[in-house]
Amino acid sequence: MDATNLSINSIDTAIIEYLISCQDYSDSYQIARTLGINRRQVRSEIVNVREILSCFGFSLESKRSKGYRIVERDHLSELQQQLKRYAFENSISYSYSQEGRRDYLAQILVSHCDYLKIDDLADSLYVSRSTLINDLSVLNESLLKKNHTLLENKARKGVRITGKEISKREILCDLFFNIYSKNNYYIKFLDSFTDEKCEMEHNILATLRRYDIVMSDIALCDFLIYLTVMCMRVCAGETLNDSPDPSLLRFQTEYDVARIISTQISNHLEIYLNEYEVNYIAIKLIAKESSSIRKEIIQDEKTLAVVEDSLQQIYERCGIRFHKGSHYKQFCSYIDTTLMILQFNEKVRHPYYLTARENQPLAYELALITAEVLHQHSGHFISSSHIAFYSIFFNNWIQSIWNRKRRVLLICGLGVGATESVAHELEYHLGRYLDIRHTCMYHELNMQNLRDYDLLISTFPLPEPIELPSVTVSQFVSEDDINRVRTLITSDYDNFQAELAFSPSLFCYENVLSSQEDIADIMIGMLCNQFPKLKPSYVRTTLESKHNEFTYLKNGILFMQLERSLNSLNSSVVCLLRHPYIYNEQNIHAIIVVSSSDRDYYDALREASRVIGRDELIRLVESGNVRYADFVHLYKEEW
């Protein structure tokens, strides 16, 4: 049996995969029970499994009363690689599972225009009629309806999928993308397009580079999957007969690139791609292209309206004011691209959409607000993947504000060389915190606009008061000098952006709390909802640790620093109390629990909270219906 003539189905791969994982013999009953199939299927497939293993250079040993076992145990990793390679090259799912079976079933249905009988489908998939009917029901809800297609079932004829051709293609793209995602085949798939021996594929990537169409690896894989599906369908005689309004595409660079790519494909495969096919290639390019790289930002009224409404809603609901700058321009570009994607009913993919909320809580909340505004203006909902993209964008914007370096004016009276020496020492030790914008001598100080700086560092004591925070260092910068500058920076709590330290999902307003247990229950509920990987028992043990640090502020806020952080994030949980809770004979109106391994972060947040007036806090908690933004607005906006 030659490798080129191998016939491996999903059950074969599942049986081999299971035998690889077993340390000893496994009988047909164990295999059947594990894979969810019957023993008859196992016995009928074992002959084929034996031949497959032999082709790969392995032996299948069988013993009565024991079962089956792969002999060459020391080379199983090599066998796994051969199976994965075969699965990738032949587009089969590597693992046999219920989900994989349904994906394969969907692929069969989309690829056939005629009715397929249920009994024939059940036999080809080695499942019962009732199992197949259940699979069809699940597929109809989870995949077909989402792509605007219908599952048509007629007596004595069977089942088929009806809908627009572009919808059927989207189903196939979803299926192939899932296969590559689950088996980590992205790189191998992209490799097939970078090989210069593959003329058409190589020319497509060269065209994208020539016209500066930049995509991430995931987006490029998604785009190339669509081209692959398009070629399969056109070769099978299934072409598009409509597309969105082409006038929206004509003046886009992506449309010109789409025409070039369509010509390359047509010449190579000797197929005809009509104008509708070209339009959809252009739409896919626009949808998959990186918005942050786009050089042109479309400043039309709708884009600017969504941008301004989003930022206004973010300020009103979360207390965060984003000022214009490089991130603002990028935000305009993101919104402009998103509106176009929504207009064309396109989708984006993000592999971490399920974890964005957990890893970037505040940024995720801002992304949800933006999604709401986009829906109000466009009438379309954006996907979870799209929200994940916006979460990353907002997280970068937040970090640029939070980690903004102090703009430094350095004064040194010993000349250029001495000044450069001091600047190099400061940047080497404190480059994370300092941005030395300018250097000058003392007699030039009156010519500087001090509003352009946050900190003044001098190599000698200044004779008169300066409106900026200042610190003196020696000409030969010592360790004491470095520590003195670091202390000044990290203890400057007035400029701590407290609104970036919280998240709406970790905020609550409670009427009555009668015990510490009530408080712990509320905190555990919020933390475990936000971070599903945390176990309630672990959170409770951490909250109730005797080594947690408590600080009571005179304005009625109780701070608690956890002995150990719950995860790698700096998280602050806030509970406002309408009726005060008594702690050490003090009235507590707000409890803030900080989970962070960064002591400076805790100290800064605690000290920044002292600016909140006691009367102001009491008025807020007693007013009722307190919103998250009402609490955040108690902090002074200094930045």
Side-chain angles (χ1 to χ4, degrees):
M1 188 175 183
D2 188 85
T4 57
N5 297 320
L6 273 177
S7 176
I8 306 179
N9 61 39
S10 54
I11 298 181
D12 295 333
T13 60
I15 292 174
I16 296 174
E17 187 179 13
Y18 177 72
L19 291 173
I20 289 173
S21 67
C22 293
Q23 299 298 320
D24 205 347
Y25 291 90
S26 297
D27 60 26
S28 59
Y29 176 76
Q30 291 172 314
I31 297 173
R33 184 179 58 182
T34 303
L35 301 184
I37 57 180
N38 59 53
R39 296 179 70 182
R40 178 178 58 83
Q41 287 177 272
V42 174
R43 288 194 294 268
S44 65
E45 290 296 326
I46 280 295
V47 175
N48 197 35
V49 167
R50 190 186 300 276
E51 291 181 345
I52 292 167
L53 290 173
S54 176
C55 183
F56 285 140
F58 290 79
S59 306
L60 181 66
E61 182 182 17
S62 60
K63 285 189 177 183
R64 184 173 295 181
S65 302
K66 284 191 174 184
Y68 308 97
R69 176 177 177 270
I70 298 175
V71 177
E72 296 80 6
R73 306 299 300 171
D74 295 335
H75 301 282
L76 292 180
S77 60
E78 180 184 338
L79 174 59
Q80 286 180 310
Q81 291 303 316
Q82 290 188 65
L83 277 174
K84 286 182 179 180
R85 192 179 304 116
Y86 179 89
F88 170 73
E89 292 172 352
N90 293 274
S91 299
I92 68 169
S93 178
Y94 179 60
S95 296
Y96 181 80
S97 64
Q98 194 176 57
E99 185 179 2
R101 184 180 69 242
R102 288 168 182 166
D103 286 350
Y104 182 62
L105 175 59
Q107 186 178 339
I108 293 174
L109 290 170
V110 173
S111 301
H112 288 77
C113 297
D114 298 330
Y115 290 95
L116 295 174
K117 292 187 176 180
I118 291 179
D119 289 332
D120 292 341
L121 286 171
D123 289 341
S124 67
L125 294 171
Y126 296 97
V127 295
S128 65
R129 179 185 176 88
S130 60
T131 298
L132 187 83
I133 291 174
N134 181 63
D135 285 346
L136 290 172
S137 176
V138 173
L139 272 180
N140 194 41
E141 294 298 323
S142 64
L143 183 64
L144 303 184
K145 286 185 178 180
K146 287 183 179 180
N147 288 283
H148 309 290
T149 55
L150 294 174
L151 183 66
E152 192 176 280
N153 189 353
K154 285 192 175 181
R156 294 188 296 276
K157 281 191 172 184
V159 293
R160 70 172 182 175
I161 291 176
T162 60
K164 289 187 175 182
E165 170 60 20
I166 189 62
S167 298
K168 294 180 179 179
R169 293 185 186 184
E170 291 297 338
I171 292 174
L172 290 173
C173 288
D174 287 344
L175 295 175
F176 288 137
F177 191 90
N178 287 340
I179 290 173
Y180 296 146
S181 177
K182 291 170 186 174
N183 297 285
N184 292 317
Y185 289 156
Y186 296 122
I187 301 303
K188 288 185 178 180
F189 181 72
L190 294 178
D191 278 345
S192 66
F193 279 80
T194 57
D195 188 351
E196 294 187 12
K197 296 178 182 178
C198 303
E199 183 181 351
M200 182 187 72
E201 292 86 343
H202 185 264
N203 287 341
I204 290 173
L205 291 189
T207 300
L208 296 179
R209 295 190 191 99
R210 185 163 67 251
Y211 286 88
D212 293 328
I213 304 293
V214 179
M215 301 181 189
S216 68
D217 287 334
I218 298 296
L220 179 59
C221 186
D222 200 5
F223 173 67
L224 296 177
I225 285 174
Y226 174 77
L227 292 185
T228 303
V229 169
M230 177 193 72
C231 293
M232 290 168 50
R233 298 294 287 174
V234 173
C235 288
E238 302 295 336
T239 59
L240 297 177
N241 54 20
D242 66 351
S243 68
D245 183 3
S247 64
L248 300 170
L249 304 168
R250 290 293 185 264
F251 300 104
Q252 301 284 339
T253 302
E254 291 82 358
Y255 178 74
D256 297 330
V257 175
R259 294 201 67 83
I260 295 171
I261 291 176
S262 68
T263 301
Q264 292 170 340
I265 294 174
S266 297
N267 292 340
H268 189 84
L269 298 180
E270 297 182 353
I271 59 176
Y272 173 66
L273 299 179
N274 63 31
E275 193 66 23
Y276 303 122
E277 301 285 359
V278 176
N279 289 343
Y280 262 102
I281 294 175
I283 290 170
K284 296 293 179 181
L285 284 170
I286 293 171
K288 309 310 175 188
E289 187 178 6
S290 175
S291 300
S292 60
I293 307 296
R294 292 182 66 190
K295 298 176 179 62
E296 274 187 46
I297 300 172
I298 310 301
Q299 299 279 4
D300 62 25
E301 292 183 5
K302 190 170 186 178
T303 296
L304 292 177
V306 174
V307 169
E308 295 303 324
D309 284 359
S310 297
L311 297 182
Q312 183 62 29
Q313 284 292 313
I314 285 171
Y315 177 68
E316 292 178 0
R317 293 162 62 176
C318 296
I320 301 174
R321 191 186 299 279
F322 290 114
H323 298 291
K324 294 185 178 180
S326 60
H327 282 83
Y328 177 85
K329 294 179 182 178
Q330 189 177 342
F331 189 42
C332 291
S333 179
Y334 267 69
I335 294 296
D336 179 60
T337 302
T338 300
L339 289 171
M340 192 173 298
I341 289 172
L342 293 175
Q343 192 166 3
F344 292 138
N345 197 29
E346 269 300 310
K347 65 174 68 174
V348 297
R349 300 185 195 273
H350 195 289
Y352 303 112
Y353 69 94
L354 292 174
T355 58
R357 177 179 178 272
E358 182 178 354
N359 293 322
Q360 299 169 342
L362 177 57
Y364 186 82
E365 295 291 338
L366 306 187
L368 289 179
I369 293 173
T370 303
E372 289 180 22
V373 176
L374 279 165
H375 177 248
Q376 292 166 5
H377 283 264
S378 69
H380 297 281
F381 292 100
I382 67 174
S383 66
S384 298
S385 287
H386 222 141
I387 290 173
F389 274 109
Y390 275 102
S391 297
I392 291 177
F393 165 76
F394 278 116
N395 192 64
N396 290 338
W397 201 344
I398 289 170
Q399 293 302 319
S400 71
I401 296 170
W402 201 318
N403 297 322
R404 180 175 64 86
K405 296 180 179 181
R406 303 301 173 91
R407 300 167 299 171
V408 175
L409 173 61
L410 175 61
I411 300 176
C412 184
L414 293 182
V416 176
T419 302
E420 289 181 351
S421 176
V422 174
H424 288 157
E425 285 295 317
L426 292 173
E427 288 174 344
Y428 177 78
H429 293 284
L430 301 170
R432 173 186 170 188
Y433 305 102
L434 302 180
D435 177 13
I436 300 178
R437 292 287 183 88
H438 190 65
T439 62
C440 72
M441 290 173 282
Y442 176 71
H443 69 270
E444 299 173 327
L445 182 59
N446 60 354
M447 294 184 288
Q448 304 299 320
N449 183 1
L450 297 185
R451 293 183 180 179
D452 294 336
Y453 306 99
D454 304 305
L455 177 64
L456 193 153
I457 298 178
S458 174
T459 57
F460 51 82
L462 299 175
E464 60 183 61
I466 304 295
E467 59 186 80
L468 280 178
S470 61
V471 61
T472 303
V473 298
S474 61
Q475 178 61 58
F476 302 99
V477 180
S478 66
E479 186 176 348
D480 288 341
D481 294 324
I482 297 299
N483 290 335
R484 190 159 53 252
V485 176
R486 181 183 284 110
T487 299
L488 175 64
I489 296 169
T490 56
S491 62
D492 184 9
Y493 304 126
D494 291 338
N495 290 319
F496 183 80
Q497 289 91 43
E499 66 276 17
L500 304 180
F502 303 109
S503 170
S505 58
L506 294 176
F507 169 85
C508 70
Y509 173 64
E510 295 295 327
N511 198 8
V512 178
L513 291 177
S514 57
S515 66
Q516 290 186 13
E517 187 174 349
D518 290 342
I519 298 173
D521 288 343
I522 290 172
M523 297 285 182
I524 291 168
M526 285 192 289
L527 285 164
C528 292
N529 181 59
Q530 179 61 52
F531 307 112
K533 294 179 182 177
L534 290 177
K535 294 183 178 180
S537 58
Y538 172 75
V539 178
R540 183 177 296 278
T541 300
T542 304
L543 287 174
E544 296 176 351
S545 172
K546 297 179 180 179
H547 300 288
N548 293 334
E549 177 183 325
F550 291 86
T551 304
Y552 170 72
L553 304 186
K554 292 182 179 179
N555 55 14
I557 299 178
L558 177 65
F559 262 85
M560 181 168 75
Q561 164 75 10
L562 297 182
E563 173 197 6
R564 59 178 181 272
S565 57
L566 296 169
N567 51 33
S568 60
L569 302 177
N570 291 332
S571 303
S572 305
V573 188
V574 181
C575 182
L576 297 188
L577 309 176
R578 182 167 188 173
H579 299 288
Y581 173 76
I582 307 301
Y583 173 80
N584 286 351
E585 301 181 352
Q586 304 291 337
N587 286 341
I588 302 299
H589 300 281
I591 301 172
I592 300 178
V593 176
V594 180
S595 169
S596 174
S597 58
D598 186 349
R599 180 68 193 196
D600 291 336
Y601 170 86
Y602 172 71
D603 290 341
L605 180 57
R606 182 193 60 205
E607 295 306 311
S609 299
R610 294 184 189 276
V611 302
I612 298 176
R614 183 182 182 85
D615 293 340
E616 203 176 354
L617 177 61
I618 293 175
R619 279 197 300 272
L620 175 64
V621 297
E622 291 182 349
S623 65
N625 299 319
V626 178
R627 301 178 308 154
Y628 169 76
D630 297 330
F631 164 72
V632 174
H633 286 153
L634 292 176
Y635 289 87
K636 295 179 181 178
E637 186 180 342
E638 298 287 352
W639 49 283

